[in-house]
């Protein structure tokens, strides 16, 4: 443990904030801040482990010593030496010697690096976003009994700086991987060579946009925050009231990062069309639920919905998406049918299930139904909810009259290519 003045400690925290800005992947981020962290918490090994989507697996990004943790593919959280921390069961780990500490040694624990690299004294604190553990910051020393509770306090402050940025990086990585997997599966099934090319171009555009947004928005926010921190370094004593606005600024920055990521995922709807997007969502929703539900998509439009204005098309997709979600989560259905129809007076979409019916669902699903009604009203469509066929389950329908069908506008750039 190092003793240092509050102003010096604050300057190191400021350095960590500066160095994070502009880092677009985990390894470069942790390596960029390692030296600054070492001024606060000396270490022989530093790593950040990130819990992957679903919470079952995690992966580690390390600096300094290279171990099997950093070179290993995603591993089960249940085999992590710090699984209790990642599961939220404890708020920190502090040990004088991990080699003999029973908390780190249990059946099937992935502890090989502890013994290979003689990582004896160790501290671990969670990375949290909105109360949820997304990973952990870990520091290790070859020297036994090296760390104290004061190091835990400092590690928590560092983790608070890292968490929002690493949350954004995780979301970006998951979005990109999800888009690639979905598109590649569709391409394999249907031989969509052109679709794969469009996906590559879309991902590249999104990658460039994410980089620009992170640079122009996040870096600007962190720069303003850095200047405020710099002013505090000249103060002899830093009161808690002075730090409270900085906490709010970090929260706003985190919210902006989350918004950037939400906008980053290439849409299956844009890349492959309405029918494929609905089919993809229906299959994935049922699969992720773990329930045994038969599903069927009937398309009678011959691609007619894809000719609509993109805003109208997205609204119809969101309504269909919510209707499918309600049927999967709440209807206790054994079968879901999505029917896309085209009549002389307009287009229609119907999502039917054979579940428990409207009365038992309405109390739980009011917000989702209201959202569907609002989306339909904004595009001048008619929304309906009724008992399904043969008086079983629920039927949610939306009808878009011909008068409300604004044709998709051509892209002038594509016209000249």
């Amino acid at each position: 443990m190092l003793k240092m003045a509050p102003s010096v400690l604050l300057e190191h925290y400021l350095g960590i904030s500066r160095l994070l800005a502009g880092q677009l992947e985990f390894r470069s981020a942790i390596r960029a801040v390692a030296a600054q962290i070492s001024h606060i918490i000396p270490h022989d090994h530093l790593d950040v482990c990130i819990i992957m989507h679903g919470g079952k697996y995690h992966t580690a990004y390390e600096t300094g010593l290279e171990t099997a943790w950093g070179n290993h593919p995603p591993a089960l959280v249940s085999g992590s030496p710090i699984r209790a921390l990642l599961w939220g069961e404890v708020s920190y780990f502090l040990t004088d010697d991990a080699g003999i500490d029973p908390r780190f040694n249990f059946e099937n624990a992935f502890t090989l690096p502890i013994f290979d690299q003689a990582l004896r004294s160790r501290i671990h604190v969670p990375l949290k976003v909105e109360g949820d553990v997304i990973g952990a910051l870990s520091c290790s020393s070859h020297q036994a009994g090296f760390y104290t509770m004061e190091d835990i306090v400092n590690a928590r402050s560092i983790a608070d700086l890292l968490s929002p940025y690493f949350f954004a990086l995780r979301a970006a990585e998951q979005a990109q991987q999800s888009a690639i997997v979905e598109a590649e599966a569709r391409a394999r099934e249907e031989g969509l060579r052109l679709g794969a090319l469009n996906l590559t171009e879309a991902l590249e555009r999104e990658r460039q946009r994410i980089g620009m947004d992170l640079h122009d928005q996040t870096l600007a926010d962190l720069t303003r925050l850095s200047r405020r921190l710099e002013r505090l370094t000249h103060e002899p004593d830093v009161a808690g009231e002075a730090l409270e606005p900085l906490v709010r600024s970090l929260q706003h920055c985190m919210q902006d990062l989350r918004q950037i990521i939400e906008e980053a995922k290439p849409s299956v709807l844009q890349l492959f069309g309405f029918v494929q997007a609905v089919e993809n969502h229906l299959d994935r929703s049922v699969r992720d639920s773990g329930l045994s539900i038969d599903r069927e998509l009937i398309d009678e439009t011959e691609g007619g919905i894809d000719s609509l204005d993109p805003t109208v098309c997205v609204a119809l997709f969101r309504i269909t998406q919510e209707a499918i979600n309600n049927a999967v989560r709440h209807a206790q259905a054994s079968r879901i049918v999505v029917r896309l129809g085209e009549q002389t007076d307009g287009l229609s979409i119907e999502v039917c299930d054979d579940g428990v019916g409207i009365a038992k669902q309405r109390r739980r699903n009011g917000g989702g139904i209201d959202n569907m009604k609002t989306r339909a009203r904004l595009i001048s469509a008619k929304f309906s909810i009724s008992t399904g066929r043969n008086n079983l389950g629920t039927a949610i329908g939306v009808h878009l009259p011909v008068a409300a069908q604004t044709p998709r506008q051509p892209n002038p750039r594509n016209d000249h290519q």
Side-chain angles (χ1 to χ4, degrees):
M1 179 188 70
L2 296 177
K3 294 287 187 180
M4 62 183 69
S7 60
V8 176
L9 191 61
L10 192 59
E11 179 62 31
H12 290 311
Y13 290 146
L14 173 61
I16 292 172
S17 296
R18 287 171 175 161
L19 292 167
L20 277 177
Q23 302 297 333
L24 298 181
E25 55 98 15
F26 290 107
R27 283 188 174 83
S28 65
I30 191 63
R31 290 171 182 171
V33 301
Q36 284 291 342
I37 293 176
S38 69
H39 291 306
I40 304 171
I41 306 174
H43 55 265
D44 296 309
H45 179 263
L46 172 71
D47 76 75
V48 167
C49 74
I50 301 296
I51 299 173
M52 303 178 71
H53 182 66
K56 189 175 182 180
Y57 293 89
H58 74 304
T59 188
Y61 304 92
E62 59 188 357
T63 183
L65 297 172
E66 291 190 5
T67 75
W69 285 325
N71 298 322
H72 200 275
L76 288 169
V77 172
S78 59
S80 171
I82 58 169
R83 60 183 183 179
L85 183 80
L86 299 176
W87 286 337
E89 296 174 353
V90 297
S91 59
Y92 68 89
F93 269 14
L94 170 64
T95 183
D96 289 338
D97 192 342
I100 60 174
D101 191 328
R103 295 177 300 171
F104 292 86
N105 298 277
F106 50 85
E107 187 177 358
N108 298 322
F110 188 16
T111 55
L112 185 64
I114 292 177
F115 300 100
D116 283 352
Q117 302 293 339
L119 302 178
R120 302 180 69 186
S121 188
R122 309 193 74 205
I123 58 174
H124 308 270
V125 295
L127 301 174
K128 286 187 174 183
V129 174
E130 295 184 347
D132 295 328
V133 178
I134 67 165
L137 170 67
S138 305
C139 296
S140 303
S141 171
H142 295 318
Q143 181 178 335
F146 187 68
Y147 297 121
T148 68
M149 279 302 302
E150 190 167 340
D151 293 306
I152 291 291
V153 172
N154 290 336
R156 282 172 168 164
S157 297
I158 295 170
D160 287 342
L161 288 174
L162 299 180
S163 295
Y165 209 90
F166 280 18
F167 175 84
L169 290 179
R170 185 183 72 165
E173 185 177 89
Q174 289 172 353
Q176 186 179 45
Q177 290 175 352
S178 177
I180 291 173
V181 169
E182 290 173 2
E184 285 181 348
R186 186 65 60 184
R188 284 194 299 270
E189 292 170 3
E190 302 180 17
L192 296 179
R193 183 189 64 82
L194 181 59
L197 177 61
N198 289 341
L199 172 64
T200 302
E201 294 173 348
L203 287 175
E204 178 61 20
R205 288 194 300 270
E206 288 302 304
R207 188 192 66 80
Q208 293 175 354
R209 189 187 67 78
I210 292 171
M212 287 187 293
D213 285 351
L214 286 173
H215 179 274
D216 296 343
Q217 182 169 313
T218 308
L219 181 58
D221 291 341
L222 289 175
T223 299
R224 286 192 292 271
L225 182 59
S226 297
R227 288 172 180 167
R228 295 171 69 180
L229 286 169
E230 277 184 330
R231 288 195 293 271
L232 289 178
T233 63
H234 300 297
E235 299 291 333
D237 295 304
V238 180
E241 293 80 4
L243 294 177
E244 196 272 337
L246 300 180
V247 174
R248 288 202 308 270
S249 296
L250 279 173
Q251 291 172 340
H252 293 156
C253 184
M254 184 179 71
Q255 184 61 37
D256 290 341
L257 284 168
R258 293 180 67 183
Q259 184 62 36
I260 291 172
I261 300 308
E262 282 297 317
E263 296 173 356
K265 186 175 179 179
S267 170
V268 177
L269 176 65
Q270 295 170 338
L271 294 175
F272 300 109
F274 190 93
V275 176
Q276 287 79 7
V278 171
E279 184 180 29
N280 177 273
H281 183 72
L282 178 61
D283 290 342
R284 185 171 57 184
S285 297
V286 172
R287 183 178 64 249
D288 290 349
S289 73
L291 301 173
S292 178
I293 303 176
D294 292 331
R295 64 267 194 190
E296 183 179 11
L297 173 64
I298 302 171
D299 176 28
E300 302 169 346
T301 69
E302 298 182 352
I305 297 181
D306 289 328
S307 66
L308 301 175
D309 180 87
T311 302
V312 176
C313 197
V314 168
L316 291 173
F317 177 72
R318 294 303 184 200
I319 294 170
T320 308
Q321 190 177 46
E322 182 63 25
I324 291 171
N325 290 343
N326 284 346
V328 171
R329 295 171 185 168
H330 307 302
Q332 302 173 34
S334 62
R335 179 172 173 78
I336 299 173
V337 178
V338 180
R339 184 183 300 273
L340 312 179
E342 186 172 17
Q343 298 85 32
T344 55
D345 61 339
L347 293 167
S348 65
I349 301 171
E350 188 179 57
V351 179
C352 297
D353 66 69
D354 61 355
V356 297
I358 303 170
K360 294 185 180 180
Q361 293 187 62
R362 179 161 290 165
R363 191 180 311 160
R364 227 180 319 180
N365 300 341
I369 292 174
D370 289 342
N371 289 342
M372 287 188 283
K373 289 179 178 178
T374 300
R375 290 185 188 278
R377 187 167 60 249
L378 290 174
I379 59 172
S380 300
K382 298 178 181 178
F383 178 85
S384 64
I385 179 168
S386 59
T387 302
R389 290 180 172 83
N390 301 320
N391 290 322
L392 294 175
T394 305
I396 291 178
V398 59
H399 181 79
L400 184 71
V402 173
Q405 297 180 24
T406 305
R408 181 185 294 272
Q409 297 299 315
N411 187 332
R413 289 183 297 175
N414 293 340
D415 292 343
H416 294 292
Q417 290 178 351

